[in-house]
């Protein structure tokens, strides 16, 4: 090859390198953006798409659904393995399970009462239903939501104990999976060591693998979240905000007041590191808010809580149970929406009747997790029981998807906080970090590397 050919070849490579340099720089810059930042970017892009191109955005729902399906397929093996290992692998104290269950129910009920009380107070102060006309609303539209669905004490009981573990797994019945996991863990505790140990090793490996799979799935989160928001905004339309913006604005104001007045003092009273807790719940809350799905946030929330210092046994028990019994955002919404219906119908409810209605909601709201769109089902049945206009459900349905995002986020925050508070109550918060510290020092003495401890320590101290 001649020197001229070599020169032209070298020039070609130089030009190619100059062309590729900006692309390489952009790629490196994009790789430095963390997942939280990508989620924020996708949320902004999703809202803009839904607003500017609603016709295109409503076709993006399959992308959002695929992300939710990816998350849902993790939930059963993750809950079963972590809860079984958490109970059977960290001691043989069966009484501790009952004590933790009792404390959980007490805490959940207290928080539910506060949420209902705040929702009622805010509704009476702000009067979101005043001036709203129900003349054009179709009652049958709201009643269609409840077709074939009912929430009774029998259905509540059946939602805990499954006919079949595999059916519960197929249907993603979280509370039934918890029941089966606890029974299996107790059996492991009572089993001989040669029977228990191999199963414990298997479930521990399964639990760790499921958290790795969760990290892989989370890489798809920004795409799924952006598509979900674009679909929601595109379907509801910006025009609905002008019509029912008052109800929507008052609802989100009530959620903010709930966080400031109820949850924040809880954090300070329990002496929970605020900055670390915010970092712990940040990504799960954003995922839950943008997808309006608590399930979508569950795997990442469980992982982050363990890194924050909550023992695996408490995380694996409290989080799934809280999804059925600790839905503060939903109960606040039900209280506000019920009073809204009375105000929109021009009905002046005495305080005593409002208290009775809130007590009814406290009991019926426990079935929310087991029934699709159950918040609307419960609202409709409550309105019918107290002779309030059911047409209000049809009006609320216009912004229910946007309200669902807010109440889902508060449900997630409330459950994460409950998990940390109960770990503090049991004097177990941070013990795993301490065990990792001791293990880390032993590894250093033996010349081993222990990178996992470094990560946990950083999160805890933050």
């Amino acid at each position: 090859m001649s020197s001229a050919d070599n020169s032209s070849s070298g020039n070609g490579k130089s030009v190619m390198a100059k062309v590729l340099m900006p692309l390489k720089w952009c790629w490196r810059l994009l790789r430095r953006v963390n997942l939280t930042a990508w989620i924020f970017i996708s949320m902004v892009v999703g809202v803009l798409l839904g607003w500017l191109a609603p016709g295109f955005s409503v076709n993006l729902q399959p992308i959002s659904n695929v992300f939710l399906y990816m998350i849902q397929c993790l939930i059963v093996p993750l809950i079963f393995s972590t809860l079984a290992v958490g109970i059977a692998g960290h001691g043989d104290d069966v009484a501790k399970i009952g004590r933790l269950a009792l404390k959980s129910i007490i805490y959940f009920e207290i928080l539910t009462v506060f949420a209902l009380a705040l929702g009622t107070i805010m509704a009476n102060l702000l009067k979101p239903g005043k001036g709203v006309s129900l003349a054009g609303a179709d009652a049958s539209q709201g009643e269609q939501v409840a077709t074939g669905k009912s929430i009774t004490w029998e259905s509540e009981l059946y939602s805990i104990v499954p006919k079949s573990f595999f059916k519960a797994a197929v249907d993603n019945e979280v509370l039934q999976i918890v029941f089966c996991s606890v029974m299996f863990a107790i059996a492991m505790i009572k089993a001989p060591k040669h029977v228990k140990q191999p199963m414990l090793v298997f479930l521990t490996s399964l639990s760790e693998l499921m958290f790795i799979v969760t990290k892989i799935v989370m890489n798809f989160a920004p795409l799924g979240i952006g598509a979900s928001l674009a679909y929601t905004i595109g379907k509801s339309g910006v025009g609905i905000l002008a019509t029912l913006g008052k109800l929507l604005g008052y609802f989100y104001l009530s959620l903010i007041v709930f966080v400031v007045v109820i949850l924040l003092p809880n954090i300070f009273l329990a002496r929970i590191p605020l900055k670390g807790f915010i970092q712990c719940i940040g990504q799960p809350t954003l995922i839950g808010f943008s997808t309006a799905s608590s399930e979508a946030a569950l795997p990442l929330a469980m992982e982050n809580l363990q890194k924050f210092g909550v023992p695996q046994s408490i995380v694996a028990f409290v989080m799934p149970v809280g999804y059925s019994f600790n839905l503060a955002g939903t109960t606040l919404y039900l209280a506000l929406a019920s009073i809204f219906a009375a105000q929109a119908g021009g009905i002046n409810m005495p305080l005593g009747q409002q208290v009775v209605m809130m007590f009814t909601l406290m009991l019926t709201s426990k079935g929310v997790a087991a029934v699709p769109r159950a918040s609307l089902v419960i609202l409709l049945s409550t309105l019918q029981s107290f002779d309030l206009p059911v047409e209000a459900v049809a009006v609320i349905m216009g912004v229910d998807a946007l309200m669902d995002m807010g109440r889902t986020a508060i449900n997630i925050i409330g459950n994460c906080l409950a998990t940390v508070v109960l770990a503090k109550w049991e004097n177990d918060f941070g013990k795993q970090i301490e065990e990792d510290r001791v293990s880390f020092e032993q590894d250093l003495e033996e010349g081993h590397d222990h990178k996992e401890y470094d990560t946990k320590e950083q999160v805890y101290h933050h």
Side-chain angles (χ1 to χ4, degrees):
M1 183 179 292
S2 65
S3 59
D5 292 336
N6 287 332
S7 176
S8 62
S9 176
N11 290 335
K13 290 180 180 178
S14 176
V15 172
M16 183 62 70
K18 289 180 180 179
V19 172
L20 292 176
M21 185 61 70
L23 296 176
K24 289 181 179 178
W25 183 83
C26 289
W27 175 247
R28 288 173 185 170
L29 185 64
L30 291 175
R31 290 188 66 182
R32 289 179 184 175
V33 180
N34 60 29
L35 181 62
T36 304
W38 277 121
I39 290 174
F40 274 116
I41 293 170
S42 69
M43 290 174 71
V44 172
V45 173
V47 170
L48 290 175
L49 268 178
W51 175 37
L52 300 174
F56 170 75
S57 298
V58 294
N59 296 317
L60 296 179
Q61 189 182 23
I63 298 176
S64 172
N65 288 343
V66 166
F67 172 64
L68 294 178
Y69 295 162
M70 291 168 70
I71 293 290
Q72 288 170 349
C73 72
L74 303 176
I75 289 175
V76 173
L78 180 63
I79 291 178
F80 186 83
S81 59
T82 52
L83 186 51
V85 170
I87 295 173
H90 294 81
D92 296 337
D93 188 3
V94 179
K96 184 177 180 180
I97 304 169
R99 187 172 68 247
L100 181 62
L102 180 61
K103 288 180 177 180
S104 300
I105 296 300
I106 292 172
Y107 180 88
F108 294 161
E109 290 305 317
I110 291 173
L111 203 65
T112 298
V113 170
F114 279 128
L116 288 169
L118 182 63
T120 305
I121 291 170
M122 294 297 286
N124 283 284
L125 287 176
L126 301 174
K127 301 188 183 304
K130 189 176 181 180
V132 176
S133 175
L134 302 179
D138 184 6
S140 63
Q141 185 181 2
E143 291 172 353
Q144 287 175 2
V145 176
T147 303
K149 304 168 187 173
S150 60
I151 298 175
T152 63
W153 72 270
E154 293 175 87
S155 64
E156 298 278 333
L157 195 59
Y158 295 154
S159 69
I160 299 174
V161 183
K163 290 182 180 179
S164 163
F165 169 79
F166 297 102
K167 186 179 187 304
V170 169
D171 295 338
N172 258 346
E173 297 288 352
V174 174
L175 199 56
Q176 294 180 356
I177 298 300
V178 169
F179 176 83
C180 294
S181 303
V182 171
M183 296 296 288
F184 191 81
I186 293 173
M188 287 174 63
I189 290 173
K190 294 182 174 295
K193 188 174 181 180
H194 72 276
V195 175
K196 172 184 174 180
Q197 199 59 36
M199 183 57 68
L200 198 58
V201 171
F202 168 74
L203 290 176
T204 302
S205 300
L206 178 61
S207 174
E208 293 180 6
L209 282 172
M210 292 314 300
F211 280 123
I212 294 173
V213 175
T214 298
K215 291 179 181 178
I216 296 172
V217 172
M218 282 303 119
N219 292 323
F220 190 73
L223 192 59
I225 286 169
S228 177
L229 273 176
Y231 168 77
T232 302
I233 301 297
K235 184 180 179 182
S236 300
V238 180
I240 197 72
L241 298 180
T243 308
L244 295 173
K246 183 178 165 184
L247 172 62
L248 192 64
Y250 285 164
F251 172 66
Y252 274 92
L253 177 61
S254 301
L255 294 182
I256 293 170
V257 172
F258 179 77
V259 171
V260 174
V261 175
I262 307 297
L263 297 186
L264 203 57
N266 223 340
I267 293 173
F268 293 137
L269 286 173
R271 296 183 179 180
I272 298 169
L274 180 59
K275 184 178 178 182
F277 181 70
I278 292 173
Q279 291 176 339
C280 173
I281 66 171
Q283 288 184 4
T285 303
L286 285 174
I287 291 170
F289 174 81
S290 52
T291 60
S293 169
S294 296
E295 287 184 342
L298 180 60
L300 186 60
M302 291 176 67
E303 181 183 4
N304 286 358
L305 285 167
Q306 289 186 50
K307 288 180 180 178
F308 186 50
V310 182
Q312 185 185 45
S313 56
I314 294 179
V315 172
F317 181 83
V318 177
M319 281 296 288
V321 172
Y323 270 46
S324 291
F325 293 99
N326 185 36
L327 300 169
T330 301
T331 48
L332 191 152
Y333 157 83
L334 289 169
L336 189 72
S338 300
I339 305 298
F340 165 84
Q343 293 170 351
I347 299 171
N348 184 22
M349 290 188 73
L351 180 60
Q353 192 176 9
Q354 290 186 29
V355 172
V356 174
M357 185 165 66
M358 294 308 115
F359 179 76
T360 303
L361 287 172
M362 186 178 70
L363 298 176
T364 56
S365 63
K366 303 309 176 189
V368 169
V371 181
R373 301 194 73 179
S375 56
L376 288 176
V377 178
I378 293 171
L379 178 61
L380 181 64
S381 62
T382 303
L383 297 183
Q384 290 173 336
S385 299
F386 288 86
D387 295 324
L388 298 176
V390 296
E391 292 85 359
V393 176
V395 173
I396 292 172
M397 283 176 65
V399 290
D400 185 66
L402 299 175
M403 297 175 81
D404 195 15
M405 295 162 68
R407 61 181 182 249
T408 299
I410 296 301
N411 289 343
I412 292 167
I413 295 172
N415 277 321
C416 289
L417 179 58
T419 306
V420 181
V421 168
L422 285 162
K424 284 273 191 176
W425 198 350
E426 287 283 299
N427 294 318
D428 283 341
F429 182 74
K431 279 189 176 180
Q432 187 61 49
I433 301 290
E434 181 62 23
E435 291 175 7
D436 287 339
R437 184 188 66 79
V438 174
S439 175
F440 172 68
E441 291 176 351
Q442 291 175 349
D443 286 350
L444 280 181
E445 292 175 0
E446 297 172 4
H448 299 302
D449 189 16
H450 204 308
K451 294 182 180 178
E452 183 183 0
Y453 165 76
D454 294 337
T455 304
K456 289 184 178 180
E457 185 190 45
Q458 289 170 9
V459 174
Y460 177 67
H461 284 299
H462 281 163

